[in-house]
Amino acid sequence: MSVISAAGVPSAADGGAVEVSRSLSARAGAAARVLFVGDETEGDRARVQRIGARFLGAGLVGYLLVSIGTITATTSLTAPWWPPVSVLLCIGPGLALIVASFRPGTAWLMPLAVITALGYLLAVALWFVAWTGATTPGPEDAAVWLISFPGMPSMVLTIVAPRWGVVNLVVACAAVNTAQQLGRFGDVNADLPVEILWACAFTGVFLAVAHVAVRTGRTLDETRADTYRSVAEAAAGAAREAEKARLDGIIHDRIIASLLAVRPGIPDQRLADQAHSALDEVARMATGDLSPSSETVARDEAIRRIRSTAADVTDRVEVEIVTLEPDPDDPPGDGDYPADVIRAVTEAMAEALRNVVRHAGSDAACAVIAQLGEGVISMAVVDDGRGFDAAAMPAGRLGIAVSIRKRMAQIDGDARIQSQVGRGTTVQLVWERP
């Protein structure tokens, strides 16, 4: 009975009852999943075999329950020892299948399937030994209680060995229908082949269903394995492409750029720093340290790196950086950026600036305009130099394809390049936190 408080709302007792009801429902659902679905971590074929064996074992026990009347009515046809022996041979393996189906793995299935099939055949064979020569009172009465399920043991065998399941079905149907006619009429007649054929055809449909279910499970397992293999191969290929792209970027941005910047005269410290950086990056690749960094960079440090990188490439560039005020409700550190993102953005910017130095012309003006907000970086490298025809640019050019576009793509960013001959170039770099 529900307990109501003075205010007219359910008391804590009702809440406890609801929790108990939910707990019972959850347990019932878990039990149903175990019974009907099985272990979801195993393969589909093994799961079909396990659940199939469980319900076929239950079916054998069920046939015993509905055949008690027939067993009792036909005790005069056989020696007294045959009914209990036949029950043990046919139903015992069914109980074993039910119990074993809750064990891990399916190694138990083949032995029990063979025992189930042989147990049925042995029970029928012993009927001929135990038969007293008497017949049923009516020609339509069942003489052998095993006549009801010759296909059940064959179905158990089918889920592990389909061909042997068919052979067992033919032998079982022939044997039990022969015993049935002897128990009815005292001998066999011309209808025996038809009855055997009918029993095989009728039960064969269920064998086919069992075989298709197991084969479908095997197909799903193979498909899943192929999918996992394809994904692994694709991941390995993507890793190789990423490593190749990184190597291309180092060669183009660091090594080739350093060599092209060498000029006669007093050594440039910026060039020496750039060469040291290239050597450090090559050494890092040689150690296999290619994993993304978990470090973060504060906004002030990100601004410093952008200005420093731009100054290292050229002193002809003007850098303007706009920062958006952080939201006071955001947790501390929410305005930080992943170190890999800052590295990729600054290196893509540096490549765009190197292109300005090499191709825009000695009198071209250049500017970097950047905006840093919460989880977003937007940058434009703009010059008024010679420009180029972007549509005619070869797709394999490392400077644009690898050092800018692919580098931004590796951090899930975007790079857009707009240029016209004689009207300068704009390189837009955008990254947003996922």
Side-chain angles (χ1 to χ4, degrees):
M1 181 176 66
S2 176
V3 180
I4 306 298
S5 66
V9 297
S11 69
D14 287 321
V18 171
E19 291 300 323
V20 170
S21 176
R22 290 177 178 173
S23 177
L24 291 175
S25 298
R27 292 179 181 178
R33 285 193 296 272
V34 171
L35 182 62
F36 293 99
V37 178
D39 186 0
E40 296 183 0
T41 62
E42 66 183 349
D44 291 295
R45 180 173 182 266
R47 192 183 311 163
V48 170
Q49 290 176 324
R50 176 190 299 277
I51 301 302
R54 184 176 303 166
F55 281 95
L56 289 173
L60 288 170
V61 176
Y63 271 113
L64 170 64
L65 298 178
V66 300
S67 301
I68 292 177
T70 303
I71 296 173
T72 304
T74 58
T75 53
S76 61
L77 302 184
T78 62
W81 56 265
W82 185 82
V85 169
S86 65
V87 169
L88 179 62
L89 290 173
C90 295
I91 308 306
L95 293 172
L97 284 170
I98 297 174
V99 174
S101 69
F102 290 95
R103 296 183 56 190
T106 56
W108 48 267
L109 184 53
M110 176 61 85
L112 283 183
V114 173
I115 291 173
T116 302
L118 293 180
Y120 182 90
L121 294 178
L122 181 58
V124 176
L126 290 176
W127 183 93
F128 293 98
V129 177
W131 182 42
T132 62
T135 59
T136 58
E140 299 300 325
D141 295 336
V144 186
W145 72 280
L146 305 179
I147 192 68
S148 301
F149 56 100
M152 291 291 289
S154 300
M155 290 179 66
V156 177
L157 195 56
T158 297
I159 61 179
V160 288
R163 294 181 180 178
W164 284 109
V166 174
V167 172
N168 184 80
L169 175 64
V170 174
V171 174
C173 288
V176 77
N177 278 278
T178 301
Q180 174 80 337
Q181 283 210 354
L182 289 175
R184 280 180 172 181
F185 313 117
D187 58 4
V188 296
N189 56 38
D191 293 335
L192 179 60
V194 177
E195 292 177 355
I196 295 173
L197 181 61
W198 165 250
C200 290
F202 179 79
T203 312
V205 174
F206 298 97
L207 261 67
V209 172
H211 175 56
V212 169
V214 174
R215 187 176 62 181
T216 301
R218 184 176 64 248
T219 301
L220 290 175
D221 288 339
E222 293 172 352
T223 301
R224 183 182 294 108
D226 289 341
T227 301
Y228 288 159
R229 185 165 51 252
S230 298
V231 170
E233 291 175 354
R240 288 193 297 270
E241 286 298 320
E243 184 176 354
K244 180 177 180 296
R246 188 163 189 171
L247 181 60
D248 289 343
I250 293 174
I251 293 174
H252 183 274
D253 297 353
R254 305 291 183 84
I255 298 175
I256 295 179
S258 298
L259 294 175
L260 291 176
V262 174
R263 295 289 185 274
I266 300 175
D268 189 339
Q269 183 59 40
R270 292 180 301 178
L271 179 58
D273 294 340
Q274 184 172 320
H276 283 298
S277 175
L279 292 175
D280 291 341
E281 190 73 10
V282 172
R284 184 167 177 259
M285 285 196 67
T287 62
D289 184 11
L290 300 175
S291 58
S293 173
S294 59
E295 298 178 359
T296 59
V297 177
R299 186 177 303 183
D300 291 343
E301 174 62 16
I303 294 173
R304 188 197 67 79
R305 293 189 185 186
I306 292 172
R307 294 185 181 279
S308 174
T309 301
D312 287 343
V313 176
T314 177
D315 53 7
R316 292 164 45 193
V317 62
E318 295 183 9
V319 179
E320 180 179 347
I321 300 178
V322 179
T323 61
L324 302 180
E325 292 298 326
D327 190 333
D329 295 332
D330 289 336
D334 192 58
D336 296 348
Y337 306 100
D340 288 333
V341 169
I342 297 301
R343 183 181 300 110
V345 171
T346 54
E347 289 179 351
M349 176 198 70
E351 176 59 22
L353 290 174
R354 280 191 287 268
N355 286 338
V356 173
V357 173
R358 296 174 195 146
H359 308 297
S362 58
D363 57 345
C366 177
V368 173
I369 305 170
Q371 178 176 291
L372 280 68
E374 296 295 329
V376 61
I377 299 176
S378 178
M379 178 184 294
V381 180
V382 183
D383 72 77
D384 60 356
R386 296 191 182 98
F388 61 93
D389 184 357
M393 183 62 60
R397 285 287 297 272
L398 289 178
I400 293 177
V402 173
S403 300
I404 298 179
R405 286 199 172 104
K406 185 167 287 188
R407 177 166 282 138
M408 291 299 296
Q410 288 175 345
I411 59 170
D412 295 326
D414 185 36
R416 300 178 182 178
I417 301 172
Q418 298 175 335
S419 183
Q420 293 183 10
V421 176
R423 305 188 65 176
T425 302
T426 299
V427 177
Q428 295 177 312
L429 308 175
V430 179
W431 172 84
E432 293 186 15
R433 194 187 307 275

